[in-house]
Amino acid sequence: MKKRRKVALHFLINNKFNILFSVCCTISLLFSQNLNSQTWNYGIGFTTNVGWLANEVQSSLGDFSFDDKPSLRVGLNLFTEFSTPSAFQLRINAHIHTKEINTEISQPFRGFATFTEKIGYIFSAYDISVTSLYDIRPNKQSWKIKPILGWTLGISKLQRIDYIRSTGVKSNGNSAAVLVVLPQDLPQRNLEATYKNRSSFLYTALQTGINIQPPLRLLHRQVEFNTTFHYSPRTFLENLITLAPFEVEGKYHFVSVGMNLFLNKSEK
């Protein structure tokens, strides 16, 4: 019995994209067939995502200092929307993107420079979001403004690790970070950019934001713009990233700014 459960779980994880797409299509079909009073819209778009890990590690230790930096990533957005005669709409989004955790460990070097090791952990991410939109100007044909509130379920997996060593040199009171051929007497951290468990894992997020539909068309199709904030109520990683003496863990949040193009939009 336990072996069968492991096989089923392995199948679900390794077929994540097909499962997410099938769920989206199935829900779309149910709504389009059973709710005659609704209109069914769908489209495609792209996103620019600024993400960061609200880490829970010790910020400094001895001469070393630890920091994490925001990351800038892009993504693809597929959506379907169901509109009722009221001002409410239900939208299902499939968001295909990447998440990045940037860690940086610094140490003073030779009294005038800083030795820095930067490690970027790149995760693939497949999200399904169910959101509710409320049109605060339902009778207007020009600008439409819609607050967004929803919930996200996603699957993520570590894809690669980027590792950079650099020094920051002070000159005339100014500091500049430059990539150099490092001398032999640099501090030896013996830092390994590793992450033991690379299997896929689930995560959830709460989503809020604003949707704006201006009187703008591209290729005779309606264009809209979204700005959303994704807040994760639980820790992102199932396994800690260990950078002795630090352990990286925390909640991953991101702000997404995107543009969508309606491929089908019914007007009632």
Side-chain angles (χ1 to χ4, degrees):
M1 181 64 68
K2 291 184 178 180
K3 185 176 181 181
R4 290 182 179 179
R5 290 179 180 176
K6 290 182 179 179
V7 171
L9 181 60
H10 180 76
F11 175 81
L12 289 173
I13 292 176
N14 286 278
N15 290 274
K16 50 187 174 294
F17 179 75
N18 292 331
I19 292 172
L20 293 177
F21 183 75
S22 299
V23 169
C24 186
C25 291
T26 301
I27 296 176
S28 300
L29 181 62
L30 291 174
F31 271 89
S32 62
Q33 288 184 347
N34 297 332
L35 299 179
N36 297 325
S37 62
Q38 289 191 341
T39 59
W40 178 38
N41 308 317
Y42 57 87
I44 189 171
F46 68 91
T47 61
T48 300
N49 310 308
V50 178
W52 65 94
L53 186 74
N55 70 77
E56 300 169 0
V57 302
Q58 188 175 358
S59 60
S60 64
L61 182 65
D63 292 334
F64 298 101
S65 64
F66 176 90
D67 197 7
D68 58 278
K69 304 294 184 181
S71 63
L72 181 64
R73 314 294 296 180
V74 297
L76 175 67
N77 191 46
L78 307 172
F79 71 93
T80 183
E81 176 186 273
F82 309 99
S83 300
T84 66
S86 69
F88 284 96
Q89 290 91 42
L90 174 68
R91 179 171 292 194
I92 301 173
N93 291 276
H95 190 198
I96 306 168
H97 61 119
T98 56
K99 298 177 184 290
E100 181 177 4
I101 296 177
N102 290 320
T103 60
E104 181 177 300
I105 297 179
S106 302
Q107 181 183 14
F109 173 61
R110 290 184 178 178
F112 63 89
T114 300
F115 173 54
T116 302
E117 293 175 289
K118 299 180 181 179
I119 304 177
Y121 295 82
I122 314 298
F123 295 82
S124 61
Y126 309 89
D127 298 349
I128 284 289
S129 299
V130 179
T131 58
S132 176
L133 295 82
Y134 180 78
D135 190 353
I136 62 177
R137 308 178 71 198
N139 298 320
K140 301 295 183 181
Q141 298 300 321
S142 55
W143 290 76
K144 290 185 177 294
I145 302 174
K146 305 176 183 179
I148 301 171
L149 183 63
W151 178 78
T152 298
L153 175 65
I155 298 175
S156 195
K157 183 179 181 180
L158 180 66
Q159 295 297 324
R160 74 174 194 272
I161 301 173
D162 296 334
Y163 183 47
I164 299 176
R165 306 179 81 194
S166 64
T167 57
V169 181
K170 294 182 179 180
S171 176
N172 296 327
N174 298 320
S175 62
V178 293
L179 293 179
V180 298
V181 178
L182 302 176
Q184 295 296 323
D185 59 341
L186 275 177
Q188 296 298 315
R189 289 276 294 123
N190 295 322
L191 189 64
E192 294 185 2
T194 59
Y195 182 61
K196 294 182 179 179
N197 190 340
R198 297 200 180 196
S199 60
S200 301
F201 57 91
L202 294 173
Y203 60 88
T204 59
L206 303 177
Q207 181 180 343
T208 184
I210 192 76
N211 173 283
I212 298 177
Q213 293 182 11
L216 175 64
R217 291 183 175 270
L218 180 63
L219 302 176
H220 305 289
R221 301 181 185 276
Q222 177 67 50
V223 173
E224 70 172 18
F225 300 92
N226 292 301
T227 300
T228 54
F229 170 62
H230 300 253
Y231 171 81
S232 178
R234 52 167 292 181
T235 54
F236 176 64
L237 300 173
E238 289 191 345
N239 298 278
L240 296 177
I241 296 175
T242 302
L243 301 173
F246 306 98
E247 287 187 336
V248 181
E249 180 57 294
K251 300 174 181 178
Y252 190 92
H253 314 307
F254 69 96
V255 175
S256 179
V257 179
M259 184 184 79
N260 292 327
L261 181 68
F262 280 87
L263 301 180
N264 177 76
K265 183 171 176 57
S266 302
E267 301 291 348
K268 276 197 174 185

Short mmCIF file of all heavy atoms in Angstrom, two decimals, residues 110-160:
data_model
loop_
_atom_site.label_atom_id
_atom_site.label_comp_id
_atom_site.label_asym_id
_atom_site.label_seq_id
_atom_site.Cartn_x
_atom_site.Cartn_y
_atom_site.Cartn_z
N ARG A 110 41.65 42.31 3.76
CA ARG A 110 42.82 43.18 3.67
C ARG A 110 42.56 44.60 4.18
O ARG A 110 43.31 45.51 3.89
CB ARG A 110 43.32 43.25 2.23
CG ARG A 110 43.97 41.99 1.73
CD ARG A 110 44.52 42.19 0.32
NE ARG A 110 45.20 40.98 -0.14
CZ ARG A 110 45.73 40.88 -1.36
NH1 ARG A 110 45.67 41.91 -2.20
NH2 ARG A 110 46.32 39.77 -1.73
N GLY A 111 41.50 44.83 4.89
CA GLY A 111 41.23 46.12 5.48
C GLY A 111 40.67 47.17 4.54
O GLY A 111 40.20 48.21 4.98
N PHE A 112 40.69 46.93 3.23
CA PHE A 112 40.18 47.93 2.30
C PHE A 112 39.19 47.33 1.29
O PHE A 112 38.72 48.03 0.39
CB PHE A 112 41.33 48.59 1.53
CG PHE A 112 42.11 47.62 0.67
CD1 PHE A 112 41.72 47.38 -0.64
CD2 PHE A 112 43.22 46.97 1.18
CE1 PHE A 112 42.43 46.48 -1.43
CE2 PHE A 112 43.93 46.08 0.39
CZ PHE A 112 43.55 45.83 -0.91
N ALA A 113 38.89 46.07 1.43
CA ALA A 113 38.00 45.42 0.46
C ALA A 113 37.04 44.49 1.18
O ALA A 113 37.17 44.22 2.37
CB ALA A 113 38.81 44.66 -0.58
N THR A 114 36.06 44.03 0.45
CA THR A 114 35.08 43.08 0.97
C THR A 114 35.02 41.88 0.03
O THR A 114 34.87 42.04 -1.19
CB THR A 114 33.69 43.71 1.07
OG1 THR A 114 33.74 44.83 1.95
CG2 THR A 114 32.68 42.70 1.60
N PHE A 115 35.19 40.71 0.59
CA PHE A 115 35.08 39.47 -0.19
C PHE A 115 33.64 38.99 -0.11
O PHE A 115 33.09 38.82 0.97
CB PHE A 115 36.04 38.43 0.37
CG PHE A 115 35.88 37.07 -0.24
CD1 PHE A 115 35.92 36.90 -1.61
CD2 PHE A 115 35.67 35.96 0.56
CE1 PHE A 115 35.77 35.65 -2.18
CE2 PHE A 115 35.52 34.71 0.01
CZ PHE A 115 35.58 34.55 -1.36
N THR A 116 33.02 38.77 -1.27
CA THR A 116 31.60 38.43 -1.33
C THR A 116 31.38 37.15 -2.13
O THR A 116 31.97 36.97 -3.19
CB THR A 116 30.78 39.57 -1.97
OG1 THR A 116 30.97 40.76 -1.21
CG2 THR A 116 29.30 39.23 -1.97
N GLU A 117 30.55 36.31 -1.60
CA GLU A 117 30.12 35.10 -2.30
C GLU A 117 28.60 35.19 -2.51
O GLU A 117 27.84 35.32 -1.55
CB GLU A 117 30.48 33.86 -1.50
CG GLU A 117 31.99 33.64 -1.39
CD GLU A 117 32.32 32.48 -0.48
OE1 GLU A 117 32.15 32.62 0.74
OE2 GLU A 117 32.75 31.43 -0.98
N LYS A 118 28.20 35.14 -3.78
CA LYS A 118 26.79 35.26 -4.13
C LYS A 118 26.30 33.95 -4.72
O LYS A 118 26.94 33.40 -5.62
CB LYS A 118 26.58 36.39 -5.12
CG LYS A 118 26.98 37.77 -4.60
CD LYS A 118 26.74 38.84 -5.66
CE LYS A 118 27.15 40.21 -5.14
NZ LYS A 118 26.95 41.26 -6.17
N ILE A 119 25.18 33.49 -4.21
CA ILE A 119 24.62 32.23 -4.70
C ILE A 119 23.15 32.47 -5.05
O ILE A 119 22.38 33.01 -4.25
CB ILE A 119 24.73 31.11 -3.65
CG1 ILE A 119 26.19 30.93 -3.23
CG2 ILE A 119 24.16 29.81 -4.19
CD1 ILE A 119 26.38 29.90 -2.15
N GLY A 120 22.78 32.09 -6.25
CA GLY A 120 21.39 32.22 -6.68
C GLY A 120 20.78 30.85 -6.92
O GLY A 120 21.29 30.04 -7.71
N TYR A 121 19.69 30.56 -6.24
CA TYR A 121 18.96 29.30 -6.40
C TYR A 121 17.75 29.56 -7.28
O TYR A 121 16.86 30.33 -6.92
CB TYR A 121 18.52 28.76 -5.03
CG TYR A 121 19.67 28.37 -4.13
CD1 TYR A 121 20.33 29.33 -3.38
CD2 TYR A 121 20.10 27.05 -4.05
CE1 TYR A 121 21.39 28.98 -2.55
CE2 TYR A 121 21.16 26.70 -3.22
CZ TYR A 121 21.80 27.66 -2.48
OH TYR A 121 22.85 27.33 -1.66
N ILE A 122 17.70 28.92 -8.45
CA ILE A 122 16.64 29.15 -9.44
C ILE A 122 15.65 27.98 -9.38
O ILE A 122 16.03 26.82 -9.58
CB ILE A 122 17.21 29.28 -10.86
CG1 ILE A 122 18.42 30.22 -10.88
CG2 ILE A 122 16.12 29.75 -11.82
CD1 ILE A 122 18.11 31.63 -10.45
N PHE A 123 14.39 28.31 -9.12
CA PHE A 123 13.33 27.31 -9.03
C PHE A 123 12.32 27.50 -10.17
O PHE A 123 11.91 28.63 -10.46
CB PHE A 123 12.56 27.43 -7.71
CG PHE A 123 13.38 27.13 -6.49
CD1 PHE A 123 14.22 28.10 -5.94
CD2 PHE A 123 13.32 25.89 -5.88
CE1 PHE A 123 14.97 27.85 -4.81
CE2 PHE A 123 14.07 25.62 -4.74
CZ PHE A 123 14.90 26.59 -4.20
N SER A 124 11.92 26.41 -10.82
CA SER A 124 10.78 26.48 -11.72
C SER A 124 9.51 26.55 -10.89
O SER A 124 9.45 26.02 -9.77
CB SER A 124 10.75 25.27 -12.64
OG SER A 124 10.62 24.07 -11.89
N ALA A 125 8.47 27.20 -11.42
CA ALA A 125 7.23 27.37 -10.66
C ALA A 125 6.04 27.27 -11.60
O ALA A 125 6.03 27.89 -12.67
CB ALA A 125 7.24 28.72 -9.94
N TYR A 126 5.05 26.51 -11.19
CA TYR A 126 3.80 26.34 -11.93
C TYR A 126 2.65 26.61 -10.96
O TYR A 126 2.42 25.83 -10.04
CB TYR A 126 3.69 24.93 -12.51
CG TYR A 126 4.91 24.49 -13.30
CD1 TYR A 126 5.98 23.85 -12.66
CD2 TYR A 126 5.00 24.73 -14.66
CE1 TYR A 126 7.10 23.46 -13.36
CE2 TYR A 126 6.11 24.33 -15.38
CZ TYR A 126 7.17 23.69 -14.72
OH TYR A 126 8.27 23.30 -15.43
N ASP A 127 1.96 27.70 -11.16
CA ASP A 127 0.92 28.13 -10.22
C ASP A 127 -0.47 28.08 -10.87
O ASP A 127 -0.63 28.41 -12.04
CB ASP A 127 1.16 29.57 -9.76
CG ASP A 127 2.48 29.73 -9.02
OD1 ASP A 127 3.10 28.70 -8.69
OD2 ASP A 127 2.89 30.88 -8.79
N ILE A 128 -1.44 27.69 -10.07
CA ILE A 128 -2.85 27.85 -10.43
C ILE A 128 -3.48 28.77 -9.39
O ILE A 128 -3.41 28.50 -8.19
CB ILE A 128 -3.60 26.51 -10.46
CG1 ILE A 128 -3.24 25.73 -11.73
CG2 ILE A 128 -5.10 26.73 -10.42
CD1 ILE A 128 -3.83 26.31 -13.00
N SER A 129 -4.09 29.87 -9.86
CA SER A 129 -4.72 30.83 -8.95
C SER A 129 -6.21 30.93 -9.26
O SER A 129 -6.60 30.97 -10.44
CB SER A 129 -4.07 32.22 -9.10
OG SER A 129 -2.70 32.18 -8.78
N VAL A 130 -7.00 30.97 -8.23
CA VAL A 130 -8.44 31.24 -8.35
C VAL A 130 -8.69 32.59 -7.70
O VAL A 130 -8.46 32.75 -6.50
CB VAL A 130 -9.28 30.15 -7.67
CG1 VAL A 130 -10.76 30.46 -7.80
CG2 VAL A 130 -8.97 28.78 -8.29
N THR A 131 -9.13 33.56 -8.50
CA THR A 131 -9.29 34.93 -7.99
C THR A 131 -10.68 35.46 -8.30
O THR A 131 -11.33 35.06 -9.27
CB THR A 131 -8.24 35.87 -8.61
OG1 THR A 131 -8.37 35.86 -10.04
CG2 THR A 131 -6.84 35.44 -8.25
N SER A 132 -11.09 36.37 -7.47
CA SER A 132 -12.35 37.08 -7.67
C SER A 132 -12.05 38.54 -7.98
O SER A 132 -11.23 39.17 -7.31
CB SER A 132 -13.22 36.97 -6.41
OG SER A 132 -14.40 37.73 -6.56
N LEU A 133 -12.70 39.06 -9.02
CA LEU A 133 -12.54 40.46 -9.41
C LEU A 133 -13.88 41.18 -9.27
O LEU A 133 -14.94 40.61 -9.58
CB LEU A 133 -12.04 40.59 -10.86
CG LEU A 133 -10.65 40.07 -11.20
CD1 LEU A 133 -10.67 38.56 -11.44
CD2 LEU A 133 -10.10 40.77 -12.44
N TYR A 134 -13.82 42.41 -8.81
CA TYR A 134 -15.04 43.21 -8.65
C TYR A 134 -14.89 44.49 -9.45
O TYR A 134 -13.98 45.30 -9.21
CB TYR A 134 -15.29 43.54 -7.18
CG TYR A 134 -16.54 44.36 -6.97
CD1 TYR A 134 -17.80 43.77 -7.01
CD2 TYR A 134 -16.47 45.74 -6.73
CE1 TYR A 134 -18.95 44.51 -6.82
CE2 TYR A 134 -17.61 46.49 -6.54
CZ TYR A 134 -18.85 45.87 -6.59
OH TYR A 134 -19.99 46.61 -6.42
N ASP A 135 -15.77 44.68 -10.42
CA ASP A 135 -15.74 45.86 -11.28
C ASP A 135 -16.40 47.03 -10.56
O ASP A 135 -17.61 47.04 -10.36
CB ASP A 135 -16.46 45.55 -12.60
CG ASP A 135 -16.26 46.64 -13.64
OD1 ASP A 135 -15.67 47.69 -13.30
OD2 ASP A 135 -16.69 46.44 -14.79
N ILE A 136 -15.59 48.01 -10.15
CA ILE A 136 -16.15 49.14 -9.40
C ILE A 136 -16.80 50.17 -10.32
O ILE A 136 -17.42 51.11 -9.86
CB ILE A 136 -15.06 49.82 -8.54
CG1 ILE A 136 -13.93 50.38 -9.41
CG2 ILE A 136 -14.50 48.83 -7.53
CD1 ILE A 136 -12.87 51.11 -8.64
N ARG A 137 -16.69 49.96 -11.64
CA ARG A 137 -17.35 50.84 -12.61
C ARG A 137 -18.05 49.96 -13.66
O ARG A 137 -17.72 49.97 -14.84
CB ARG A 137 -16.34 51.76 -13.28
CG ARG A 137 -15.47 52.54 -12.32
CD ARG A 137 -14.45 53.39 -13.08
NE ARG A 137 -15.11 54.50 -13.77
CZ ARG A 137 -14.53 55.19 -14.76
NH1 ARG A 137 -13.35 54.82 -15.22
NH2 ARG A 137 -15.16 56.20 -15.33
N PRO A 138 -19.03 49.15 -13.23
CA PRO A 138 -19.62 48.15 -14.13
C PRO A 138 -20.38 48.73 -15.32
O PRO A 138 -20.52 48.07 -16.35
CB PRO A 138 -20.56 47.36 -13.21
CG PRO A 138 -20.90 48.33 -12.12
CD PRO A 138 -19.66 49.14 -11.91
N ASN A 139 -20.86 49.94 -15.20
CA ASN A 139 -21.67 50.51 -16.28
C ASN A 139 -20.87 51.45 -17.19
O ASN A 139 -21.45 52.11 -18.05
CB ASN A 139 -22.86 51.27 -15.69
CG ASN A 139 -23.77 50.35 -14.90
OD1 ASN A 139 -24.02 49.22 -15.31
ND2 ASN A 139 -24.25 50.82 -13.76
N LYS A 140 -19.56 51.51 -16.97
CA LYS A 140 -18.72 52.37 -17.77
C LYS A 140 -18.08 51.57 -18.90
O LYS A 140 -17.67 50.43 -18.73
CB LYS A 140 -17.62 53.01 -16.91
CG LYS A 140 -18.16 53.83 -15.74
CD LYS A 140 -18.93 55.05 -16.22
CE LYS A 140 -19.40 55.91 -15.04
NZ LYS A 140 -20.17 57.08 -15.48
N GLN A 141 -18.02 52.19 -20.09
CA GLN A 141 -17.45 51.53 -21.25
C GLN A 141 -16.00 51.93 -21.50
O GLN A 141 -15.36 51.41 -22.40
CB GLN A 141 -18.28 51.85 -22.49
CG GLN A 141 -19.72 51.37 -22.43
CD GLN A 141 -19.81 49.85 -22.26
OE1 GLN A 141 -19.04 49.11 -22.86
NE2 GLN A 141 -20.74 49.41 -21.44
N SER A 142 -15.48 52.87 -20.70
CA SER A 142 -14.10 53.31 -20.90
C SER A 142 -13.16 52.54 -19.99
O SER A 142 -12.93 51.35 -20.20
CB SER A 142 -14.00 54.82 -20.65
OG SER A 142 -14.50 55.14 -19.35
N TRP A 143 -12.61 53.18 -18.98
CA TRP A 143 -11.69 52.52 -18.06
C TRP A 143 -12.44 51.64 -17.08
O TRP A 143 -13.43 52.07 -16.48
CB TRP A 143 -10.87 53.55 -17.30
CG TRP A 143 -9.87 54.28 -18.14
CD1 TRP A 143 -10.12 55.28 -19.03
CD2 TRP A 143 -8.47 54.05 -18.18
NE1 TRP A 143 -8.97 55.70 -19.62
CE2 TRP A 143 -7.91 54.97 -19.12
CE3 TRP A 143 -7.60 53.17 -17.53
CZ2 TRP A 143 -6.56 55.02 -19.41
CZ3 TRP A 143 -6.25 53.23 -17.80
CH2 TRP A 143 -5.74 54.14 -18.74
N LYS A 144 -11.96 50.41 -16.90
CA LYS A 144 -12.52 49.51 -15.90
C LYS A 144 -11.44 49.21 -14.86
O LYS A 144 -10.31 48.87 -15.21
CB LYS A 144 -13.01 48.21 -16.55
CG LYS A 144 -14.25 48.39 -17.42
CD LYS A 144 -14.77 47.07 -17.92
CE LYS A 144 -16.05 47.24 -18.71
NZ LYS A 144 -17.17 47.73 -17.87
N ILE A 145 -11.81 49.34 -13.60
CA ILE A 145 -10.88 49.12 -12.49
C ILE A 145 -11.47 48.03 -11.59
O ILE A 145 -12.61 48.15 -11.12
CB ILE A 145 -10.65 50.41 -11.69
CG1 ILE A 145 -10.11 51.50 -12.62
CG2 ILE A 145 -9.70 50.16 -10.53
CD1 ILE A 145 -9.97 52.85 -11.97
N LYS A 146 -10.66 46.97 -11.35
CA LYS A 146 -11.18 45.82 -10.63
C LYS A 146 -10.20 45.37 -9.55
O LYS A 146 -9.10 44.91 -9.87
CB LYS A 146 -11.42 44.65 -11.59
CG LYS A 146 -12.33 44.97 -12.77
CD LYS A 146 -12.42 43.79 -13.73
CE LYS A 146 -13.28 44.12 -14.93
NZ LYS A 146 -13.38 42.99 -15.88
N PRO A 147 -10.53 45.51 -8.28
CA PRO A 147 -9.71 44.90 -7.21
C PRO A 147 -9.71 43.38 -7.35
O PRO A 147 -10.67 42.78 -7.83
CB PRO A 147 -10.42 45.35 -5.93
CG PRO A 147 -11.21 46.56 -6.33
CD PRO A 147 -11.65 46.31 -7.74
N ILE A 148 -8.62 42.77 -6.92
CA ILE A 148 -8.41 41.33 -7.04
C ILE A 148 -8.17 40.72 -5.67
O ILE A 148 -7.44 41.27 -4.85
CB ILE A 148 -7.20 41.02 -7.95
CG1 ILE A 148 -7.39 41.61 -9.34
CG2 ILE A 148 -6.96 39.51 -8.06
CD1 ILE A 148 -6.15 41.52 -10.20
N LEU A 149 -8.78 39.56 -5.43
CA LEU A 149 -8.53 38.80 -4.21
C LEU A 149 -8.60 37.32 -4.56
O LEU A 149 -9.56 36.88 -5.19
CB LEU A 149 -9.55 39.14 -3.13
CG LEU A 149 -9.36 38.47 -1.76
CD1 LEU A 149 -8.04 38.90 -1.14
CD2 LEU A 149 -10.52 38.78 -0.84
N GLY A 150 -7.57 36.55 -4.16
CA GLY A 150 -7.59 35.14 -4.53
C GLY A 150 -6.60 34.30 -3.75
O GLY A 150 -5.99 34.73 -2.77
N TRP A 151 -6.45 33.07 -4.23
CA TRP A 151 -5.63 32.05 -3.56
C TRP A 151 -4.86 31.28 -4.62
O TRP A 151 -5.38 31.02 -5.72
CB TRP A 151 -6.54 31.12 -2.77
CG TRP A 151 -5.83 30.00 -2.07
CD1 TRP A 151 -5.12 30.06 -0.91
CD2 TRP A 151 -5.77 28.63 -2.50
NE1 TRP A 151 -4.62 28.82 -0.58
CE2 TRP A 151 -5.01 27.93 -1.54
CE3 TRP A 151 -6.31 27.94 -3.58
CZ2 TRP A 151 -4.77 26.57 -1.64
CZ3 TRP A 151 -6.04 26.58 -3.69
CH2 TRP A 151 -5.29 25.90 -2.72
N THR A 152 -3.62 30.91 -4.30
CA THR A 152 -2.73 30.25 -5.26
C THR A 152 -2.21 28.94 -4.70
O THR A 152 -1.83 28.86 -3.53
CB THR A 152 -1.53 31.16 -5.61
OG1 THR A 152 -2.00 32.36 -6.22
CG2 THR A 152 -0.57 30.47 -6.56
N LEU A 153 -2.20 27.92 -5.55
CA LEU A 153 -1.55 26.64 -5.24
C LEU A 153 -0.50 26.41 -6.32
O LEU A 153 -0.80 26.50 -7.52
CB LEU A 153 -2.57 25.50 -5.23
CG LEU A 153 -1.99 24.09 -5.04
CD1 LEU A 153 -1.36 23.97 -3.66
CD2 LEU A 153 -3.06 23.04 -5.25
N GLY A 154 0.73 26.12 -5.92
CA GLY A 154 1.80 25.96 -6.89
C GLY A 154 2.69 24.77 -6.62
O GLY A 154 2.70 24.19 -5.53
N ILE A 155 3.43 24.40 -7.66
CA ILE A 155 4.44 23.35 -7.57
C ILE A 155 5.76 23.95 -8.01
O ILE A 155 5.83 24.66 -9.02
CB ILE A 155 4.08 22.15 -8.48
CG1 ILE A 155 2.76 21.52 -8.04
CG2 ILE A 155 5.20 21.11 -8.46
CD1 ILE A 155 2.29 20.41 -8.95
N SER A 156 6.83 23.68 -7.26
CA SER A 156 8.12 24.25 -7.59
C SER A 156 9.21 23.20 -7.46
O SER A 156 9.06 22.20 -6.75
CB SER A 156 8.42 25.44 -6.67
OG SER A 156 9.48 26.22 -7.17
N LYS A 157 10.33 23.44 -8.18
CA LYS A 157 11.45 22.51 -8.16
C LYS A 157 12.74 23.26 -8.46
O LYS A 157 12.78 24.11 -9.35
CB LYS A 157 11.23 21.40 -9.18
CG LYS A 157 12.32 20.33 -9.19
CD LYS A 157 12.03 19.26 -10.20
CE LYS A 157 13.11 18.18 -10.18
NZ LYS A 157 12.83 17.11 -11.18
N LEU A 158 13.80 22.95 -7.72
CA LEU A 158 15.09 23.58 -7.96
C LEU A 158 15.65 23.11 -9.30
O LEU A 158 15.74 21.91 -9.57
CB LEU A 158 16.06 23.23 -6.84
CG LEU A 158 17.47 23.83 -6.97
CD1 LEU A 158 17.42 25.34 -6.86
CD2 LEU A 158 18.40 23.24 -5.91
N GLN A 159 16.05 24.09 -10.15
CA GLN A 159 16.58 23.77 -11.47
C GLN A 159 18.09 23.93 -11.57
O GLN A 159 18.77 23.12 -12.18
CB GLN A 159 15.90 24.66 -12.53
CG GLN A 159 14.41 24.41 -12.66
CD GLN A 159 14.09 23.00 -13.13
OE1 GLN A 159 14.81 22.42 -13.93
NE2 GLN A 159 13.00 22.43 -12.61
N ARG A 160 18.62 25.02 -11.00
CA ARG A 160 20.06 25.22 -11.09
C ARG A 160 20.52 26.14 -9.97
O ARG A 160 19.72 26.80 -9.31
CB ARG A 160 20.46 25.78 -12.44
CG ARG A 160 20.14 27.25 -12.65
CD ARG A 160 20.70 27.76 -13.98
NE ARG A 160 20.69 29.21 -14.07
CZ ARG A 160 19.67 29.90 -14.52
NH1 ARG A 160 18.57 29.29 -14.92
NH2 ARG A 160 19.74 31.23 -14.57
#
